[in-house]
Amino acid sequence: MSRAACLLVIISLMSPAAEALDNGLALKPTMGWLHWERFMCNIDCDTDPNNCISERLYMQMADVMVKEGWKEAGYEYVCIDDCWPSHQRDAQGRLQADPKRFPGGIKKLADYIHSKGLKLGIYADVGDKTCAGYPGSLGYYEKDAQTFADWDVDLLKFDGCFMNRALLGEGYINMSKALNNTGRPILYSCEWPLYEWPLKQPNYTAIRETCNHWRNFDDVFDSWSSIKSILDWTAAHQDIIVPAAGPGGWNDPDMLVIGNFGLSHDQQESQMALWAIMASPLLMSNDLRDICPRSKELLQNKRIIDISQDSMGKQGYRTAKGNDFEVWERPLSKNRLAIAVLNKLETGGPRGFNIGAAPGWKICGSQCNVTQILPQYKEMGVQTQQSKIIVSVNPSGTALLTVTPISSDFRRLHKLNWQGTFVRRKHTIL
Ligand code: GAL
């Protein structure tokens, strides 16, 4: 094969299958905060003014994001979910915010959020009504897209409730065009495949051309069983969904629930590590005004965020499982690899795992540099293919490492890695 042909093969192996939505956004997985999991549809501002869905909530969250290092860590979008609008459109047929809970209106809120150097996200629905029963956008795509653009909104989460499933794709595509026609770059977060899976296998080429990220599976809850179900679904469908991800468009396994009530610290580490491996949007749903220091430190961990935001933009895969361990691996820029080892046994104590058993370890070649990021940061120095490094993983916890080959025969190894590890359909049995 000529050098040029060889280069083409390498490039095509490394790029996602389809073109991404061409709006210049989400070149890396989106980072920010989204109200839904933590604050749901709490509209009772009389008895619960601190936690109800109101302009105050987003303003306070934005204040904290700037003051407490969130913005600096990369969290940028402050996103409104369901239950923000009034039940009636205005005289011109436009959506309007609930006047009691958003007295300044969304444009003012956007101005405030922008004055903090952050971006504002909003929520609407492709069908007749939102999932919580507020006005849907069906029949109003252009009007609503223009309204959001006029308000200087930066992101739209577009839900799929109350929609004829046969028209779902058309609806998502039309809203994408309507947003594009406003001329304002508005990041487009879809739930198209989630609502399509019960009917048929979604067309991920079309989805990637239409949306900047897309939900595939159920809503995340504040529990380990919910996180596990999302990971299981993702691994079971990885051959279909992983190739669709890349700069401009990402699979969205839903919000980070770190810092809430339902996950142990080990489980929070697992969510953070695996969401980084999956190149997922990092949209936290928690109360940043009141979050424990360990959760904050985890969410702001620069080394994990660097994996999430890696410039190559390749989503990772589950590459091995067995003995109640799972190995997930993500190829990173500069020839590196991230390896996550999840201990799925929810009984007993920490268990040792020989990192040399991870399929991607072959990237190490004759020598590599190894860094452990979770559960503790540790430089493990120069290792070889033959090294026996045992990492200790707590029940439902995850060890996260990066491997950097120091090898002159890297090209051969890298190719081997891509074709041998990531394109293979079967898991290695540990
Ligand atoms: C669900 C959606 C959630 C949240 C909720 C609001 O369908 O998946 O993320 O947006 O609707 O009602």
Side-chain angles (χ1 to χ4, degrees):
M1 210 189 292
S2 71
R3 268 183 78 115
C6 188
L7 207 68
L8 264 179
V9 170
I10 292 172
I11 289 168
S12 67
L13 275 171
M14 291 175 71
S15 359
E19 291 292 317
L21 170 60
D22 186 18
N23 61 2
L25 299 172
L27 298 179
K28 295 181 174 177
T30 307
M31 292 179 69
W33 181 91
L34 174 63
H35 96 236
W36 186 254
E37 193 288 320
R38 177 63 188 255
F39 296 94
M40 312 242 13
C41 194
N42 179 353
I43 53 171
D44 186 1
C45 292
D46 293 333
T47 52
D48 197 6
N50 231 8
N51 301 303
C52 67
I53 305 312
S54 69
E55 60 187 29
R56 219 179 103 169
L57 183 69
Y58 307 98
M59 289 161 83
Q60 289 184 349
M61 233 38 90
D63 292 347
V64 180
M65 279 170 76
V66 174
K67 273 200 213 110
E68 304 279 331
W70 300 99
K71 181 183 158 197
E72 212 182 312
Y75 295 94
E76 187 180 18
Y77 288 83
V78 180
C79 302
I80 305 173
D81 206 287
D82 206 344
C83 306
W84 64 270
S86 155
H87 276 288
Q88 278 81 41
R89 287 177 177 268
D90 73 7
Q92 284 81 48
R94 290 175 305 199
L95 287 171
Q96 49 187 346
D98 181 281
K100 194 168 163 209
R101 294 181 286 118
F102 293 83
I106 303 293
K107 168 79 176 94
K108 268 244 175 84
L109 179 57
D111 290 348
Y112 184 83
I113 301 286
H114 292 153
S115 76
K116 301 272 158 188
L118 298 167
K119 297 197 157 125
L120 180 70
I122 207 160
Y123 166 100
D125 189 286
V126 68
D128 273 327
K129 281 186 258 173
T130 72
C131 299
Y134 290 82
S137 295
L138 188 63
Y140 295 90
Y141 296 152
E142 281 80 20
K143 184 159 284 199
D144 291 353
Q146 194 53 54
T147 305
F148 299 145
D150 292 344
W151 288 342
D152 288 338
V153 162
D154 305 292
L155 176 152
L156 173 65
K157 171 174 173 177
F158 210 40
D159 212 335
C161 276
F162 299 101
M163 181 62 169
N164 177 343
R165 299 266 169 105
L167 302 176
L168 197 67
E170 203 180 302
Y172 273 101
I173 291 168
N174 287 338
M175 187 49 144
S176 186
K177 288 183 184 151
L179 290 171
N180 194 47
N181 288 341
T182 67
R184 181 174 175 83
I186 298 179
L187 198 153
Y188 188 36
S189 162
C190 302
E191 299 206 27
W192 175 3
L194 184 158
Y195 289 91
E196 196 146 280
W197 269 110
L199 290 185
K200 59 174 184 197
Q201 182 174 314
N203 175 350
Y204 281 94
T205 305
I207 291 168
R208 181 169 169 76
E209 283 164 2
T210 305
C211 308
N212 292 118
H213 31 89
W214 47 86
R215 285 272 310 281
N216 292 305
F217 185 63
D218 294 350
D219 291 3
V220 70
F221 287 1
D222 188 11
S223 73
W224 181 235
S225 63
S226 166
I227 302 300
K228 275 189 303 184
S229 71
I230 293 172
L231 293 173
D232 288 347
W233 189 94
T234 302
H237 297 83
Q238 59 186 3
D239 289 337
I240 300 166
I241 66 168
V242 171
W250 311 97
N251 290 295
D252 177 7
D254 212 1
M255 294 157 267
L256 293 169
V257 292
I258 296 165
N260 290 320
F261 309 96
L263 301 185
S264 70
H265 192 75
D266 287 297
Q267 293 163 353
Q268 297 182 38
E269 292 188 347
S270 291
Q271 192 189 25
M272 191 69 188
L274 271 310
W275 262 234
I277 292 277
M278 291 189 293
S280 315
L282 300 180
L283 291 169
M284 305 176 284
S285 195
N286 49 17
D287 190 346
L288 298 175
R289 301 165 302 184
D290 178 21
I291 185 166
C292 87
R294 273 186 101 190
S295 299
K296 180 177 169 191
E297 201 181 310
L298 174 63
L299 285 161
Q300 295 191 359
N301 184 312
K302 186 170 164 3
R303 290 187 176 84
I304 310 176
I305 292 174
D306 282 349
I307 294 175
S308 150
Q309 303 288 297
D310 182 72
S311 59
M312 195 157 83
K314 264 278 167 193
Q315 176 171 346
Y317 281 82
R318 188 172 75 184
T319 55
K321 62 180 213 160
N323 192 21
D324 289 301
F325 281 112
E326 289 188 4
V327 179
W328 292 66
E329 299 175 4
R330 177 174 173 183
L332 301 173
S333 57
K334 300 194 205 125
N335 315 329
R336 293 163 308 137
L337 182 73
I339 304 180
V341 180
L342 168 64
N343 176 3
K344 288 203 89 181
L345 197 63
E346 292 171 45
T347 181
R351 291 195 301 144
F353 180 88
N354 174 15
I355 202 71
W361 185 252
K362 59 173 85 68
I363 201 174
C364 180
S366 40
Q367 277 194 328
C368 54
N369 234 312
V370 182
T371 303
Q372 179 158 10
I373 297 173
L374 285 175
Q376 292 93 27
Y377 169 66
K378 190 164 143 200
E379 288 298 345
M380 292 182 149
V382 176
Q383 303 290 338
T384 71
Q385 276 264 25
Q386 284 70 42
S387 303
K388 200 162 183 237
I389 309 178
I390 308 291
V391 290
S392 173
V393 200
N394 287 349
S396 61
T398 293
L400 179 66
L401 300 97
T402 55
V403 181
T404 309
I406 323 170
S407 167
S408 52
D409 60 355
F410 167 73
R411 262 173 203 280
R412 185 182 62 79
L413 292 162
H414 194 55
K415 213 169 152 201
L416 187 102
N417 180 51
W418 275 98
Q419 294 174 332
T421 304
F422 291 104
V423 185
R424 188 177 46 218
R425 280 165 198 274
K426 280 203 194 103
H427 280 111
T428 298
I429 308 297
L430 293 167

